[in-house]
Amino acid sequence: MHTDSQKSEFHKIRMARKKAQIDAAIARADQKKGLLLVITGNGKGKSTSAFGMVARALGHGMKVGVCQFIKSRTDTGEEAFFSQFPNCEWHVLGDGFTWDTQNREQDIATSKNGWQVAMKMLTDSSYDLVVLDELTYLLSYDYLDKDEVLNGLSQKPEMQHVVVTGRSAIAELRELADTVSEIKDEKHAYKSGIQAQKGIDL
Amino acid sequence: MHTDSQKSEFHKIRMARKKAQIDAAIARADQKKGLLLVITGNGKGKSTSAFGMVARALGHGMKVGVCQFIKSRTDTGEEAFFSQFPNCEWHVLGDGFTWDTQNREQDIATSKNGWQVAMKMLTDSSYDLVVLDELTYLLSYDYLDKDEVLNGLSQKPEMQHVVVTGRSAIAELRELADTVSEIKDEKHAYKSGIQAQKGIDL
């Protein structure tokens, strides 16, 4: 067994080594540019994470645009909260989930209209951060033309950050992205019979 | 090849089936209770996701408490943004990362003080949502007594939601949680030389 004083010394040595590695990584990471972030996977926290970035951005005085592609409800905590800020433009563009409408033509028309709203933001450098919430479904269901969407994202203003959320992001979108986080559902309260709750899911 | 009209019909049938499954799941999920959520993994979006829940909760008029255990900096977008709301109590309780202090005793003392602040919230049912940002490190580094922390979390008010973030959540914490999301780092801009940026990481 080591004494407390030895433990402290070992700790100091390990941490000094770690600090050197981290400082070197920070020194290497010297570029600034607008990012394309994709947050996907079947776990909880994808849209939620995007909304956390909205909060951060507003905290820095940045201008934010949000397009929610699937949701039709406008009583969510996130919308109630963020739409009060003049720097944050919020669009609920969906008709509900595809299993609610059960109408492919209607879903496609809704998606195309929504994409026009998104494209206005993606061609306007005054938006510092654009969130395209649940856009992935519109690609995996072929509601939008893949090339049109990928081109739109590729041609965004250089310093603009764009966050795309939703399950099953297609491979081309992952390739185009600077950062891809995959959220895995290790355990979910919903599956043990707990309903979606305000503040957490809504 | 199927005609467009056949495609629409197939779509309708598939979506009707899916809706029945989802409705049944919603009917099964009929409980309401305060949740313990753990957001862990090495990917981007853990704290960010917690801050998204803060926004949702504030949008519903809920009272929120946030403890940031590692961070010492107080110039983040999230703090600038959320600390302007009277319903949101925000504490930056860290001394920086352990590789900055390189001092185990100091880290332990800081952690213990921070935990006292957290315990005040975890024993006060007026907080609807409590975020314990980066608490996982304090357990995996043995800065806090594991049993003390797990007991504190177990005894939280029944309707209070608690979100714990950070890498490498220990097994006992995952077991205790209602929801565990693991965020996997599939691709990270930082690794290709892009620095942490306002609105996204800060």
Side-chain angles (χ1 to χ4, degrees), chain B:
Chain B
M1 283 295 288
H2 297 291
T3 64
D4 272 356
S5 138
Q6 283 174 315
K7 271 193 201 169
S8 297
E9 194 47 37
F10 292 153
H11 177 84
K12 196 168 153 62
I13 293 167
R14 279 202 315 276
M15 289 302 130
R17 186 182 157 77
K18 186 157 186 176
K19 182 169 167 53
Q21 292 170 340
I22 287 168
D23 287 348
I26 290 171
R28 278 195 304 273
D30 60 353
Q31 297 171 52
K32 274 179 104 161
K33 69 164 198 166
L35 300 180
L36 174 62
L37 301 100
V38 172
I39 309 175
T40 188
N42 65 350
K44 172 170 174 45
K46 295 182 292 292
S47 302
T48 324
S49 180
F51 301 146
M53 284 185 255
V54 171
R56 279 198 177 124
L58 292 174
H60 288 297
M62 295 158 75
K63 182 174 166 186
V64 179
V66 177
C67 296
Q68 292 197 283
F69 284 102
I70 301 285
K71 279 207 185 93
S72 58
R73 59 189 300 173
T74 56
D75 60 345
T76 60
E78 62 262 23
E79 205 220 355
F81 184 67
F82 286 118
S83 57
Q84 65 184 302
F85 300 97
N87 253 8
C88 185
E89 196 182 315
W90 196 282
H91 297 277
V92 177
L93 298 165
D95 254 350
F97 284 90
T98 52
W99 49 86
D100 286 327
T101 63
Q102 297 177 25
N103 183 329
R104 191 173 149 83
E105 283 70 38
Q106 184 186 329
D107 287 348
I108 290 175
T110 306
S111 300
K112 286 186 174 168
N113 287 337
W115 182 245
Q116 293 315 309
V117 177
M119 275 306 290
K120 275 195 194 147
M121 296 178 177
L122 293 175
T123 51
D124 179 348
S125 62
S126 75
Y127 293 91
D128 301 298
L129 171 65
V130 175
V131 174
L132 305 176
D133 187 39
E134 310 197 278
L135 176 67
T136 58
Y137 300 98
L138 277 50
L139 293 171
S140 53
Y141 276 102
D142 275 325
Y143 288 170
L144 289 177
D145 181 74
K146 201 164 63 176
D147 292 322
E148 196 182 325
V149 171
L150 295 170
N151 284 343
L153 292 170
S154 306
Q155 290 164 30
K156 69 170 185 62
E158 201 191 330
M159 297 308 295
Q160 185 180 80
H161 301 298
V162 177
V163 183
V164 175
T165 74
R167 291 186 180 209
S168 314
I170 59 172
E172 295 93 328
L173 181 61
R174 292 173 192 246
E175 272 162 39
L176 193 64
D178 300 289
T179 294
V180 179
S181 286
E182 171 99 22
I183 305 191
K184 209 186 114 218
D185 204 2
E186 187 175 305
K187 198 178 192 184
H188 201 307
Y190 184 72
K191 291 184 184 158
S192 24
I194 295 164
Q195 63 184 228
Q197 291 177 101
K198 284 185 185 174
I200 300 298
D201 309 287
L202 307 176

Side-chain angles (χ1 to χ4, degrees), chain A residues 21-79:
Chain A
Q21 290 169 339
I22 287 167
D23 287 349
I26 291 171
R28 276 194 305 272
D30 59 353
Q31 296 171 55
K32 276 178 105 161
K33 68 163 196 167
L35 300 180
L36 174 61
L37 300 100
V38 172
I39 311 177
T40 189
N42 65 350
K44 174 173 171 42
K46 294 183 290 291
S47 301
T48 324
S49 179
F51 302 146
M53 283 184 257
V54 172
R56 278 198 179 125
L58 292 174
H60 288 297
M62 294 158 77
K63 181 173 169 189
V64 179
V66 177
C67 296
Q68 292 196 285
F69 283 102
I70 301 285
K71 277 206 188 93
S72 57
R73 60 189 299 172
T74 55
D75 59 345
T76 60
E78 62 261 24
E79 204 219 356

Side-chain angles (χ1 to χ4, degrees), chain A residues 56 125 147-148 150 154 157 182:
Chain A
R56 278 198 179 125
S125 62
D147 291 323
E148 195 182 328
L150 295 169
S154 306
E182 171 100 21

